[in-house]
Amino acid sequence: MKRFFQLLIGGFLLIALWACDTNRVFEKYHPINETTWSQDSLVVFNIPVTDTVQNHNLYINVRNDINYNYSNLWLFINIEQPGGKAIKDTFEMVLADPTGKWLGHGFGGLKTRQVLYRSNVYFPQSGDYKISIQQGMRDSELKGICDVGLRVEKSH
């Protein structure tokens, strides 16, 4: 019973810390259906931008099953600003070290990894920015990816 209350208090503290994250501007996860990410399936985030003065850091977040077959994940990323101008990029996300140890954190069979994608990003105009992420691995049906997320935070 004592252990239960310790976990309960710890959970409340984590929620309180998460709620006090003043640098976060946007953070969202999209679940991957049945943990199978098709190569032609896009994960799309719409980010409302009002601050065109402050620079931001962009993070890619991935939750993977420990049965995921690879140590990395190649991503095709498209950033479209209001008005249609777009930037396309390829990004490698390392999920495990050379010995096979998962770099993310988590309990049981699910690991969460957050990696800095771009730092000091300047949004030149206000409006909705659309960031699309597509898996770029050789498998047309990639198994073991559970969620894909994006975090935007103020840079210092």
Side-chain angles (χ1 to χ4, degrees), residues 81-99:
Q81 69 183 35
K85 185 177 177 184
I87 298 169
K88 294 184 179 192
D89 200 3
T90 303
F91 181 69
E92 180 185 20
M93 190 166 186
V94 177
L95 301 175
D97 70 16
T99 67

